[in-house]
Amino acid sequence: MGVRRIVKGFGEFLVEFVGEAVGELILTLVACALLAGLVLLAYLSWSFSPRLTVAGAGLLGLFLAHGAWRTFRGPAKGRRGRRLAAVTTAGFTVAAVTAVFLLLYGTGCGCV
């Protein structure tokens, strides 16, 4: 009876260990693919037009700055600009989550 319980516990441990290893591998591969895609996008946009790339980066920076400002400041009193605030806040949130994801899993990629 004790041997059966030990074997069952070891089997559960092995399944959990392999599942976590496969999950980590998949997340690392997704992070590497995302990082490679971002680098490719930057390279292609720069090779197309450096001026438009800098202008686009500036606009993206303003967009993310507005989203961060709307995220971390108090609630607005008026109803004006709620759609823009919602869009920029969502964009900032997506960018922040992507940055944290790449920070956690992109560093395990051999390309960095």
Side-chain angles (χ1 to χ4, degrees):
M1 186 104 132
V3 173
R4 191 177 290 187
R5 197 170 22 163
I6 291 172
V7 170
K8 184 179 178 185
F10 181 72
E12 289 175 1
F13 166 76
L14 193 60
V15 167
E16 183 177 339
F17 178 75
V18 169
E20 285 183 12
V22 169
E24 285 283 328
L25 179 68
I26 289 171
L27 287 174
T28 301
L29 288 174
V30 168
C32 286
L34 179 63
L35 192 59
L38 289 173
V39 168
L40 180 66
L41 180 69
Y43 173 75
L44 290 176
S45 67
W46 187 263
S47 66
F48 176 70
S49 174
R51 287 181 182 168
L52 284 178
T53 302
V54 172
L59 287 175
L60 181 65
L62 285 174
F63 178 80
L64 293 176
H66 185 264
W69 178 63
R70 294 296 281 196
T71 299
F72 294 118
R73 73 168 225 170
K77 295 187 181 188
R79 294 184 143 235
R80 221 172 132 238
R82 279 198 172 167
R83 288 187 187 143
L84 177 65
V87 169
T88 58
T89 301
F92 171 73
T93 304
V94 167
V97 168
T98 302
V100 169
F101 174 72
L102 286 176
L103 191 76
L104 293 176
Y105 291 103
T107 55
C109 183
C111 58
V112 177

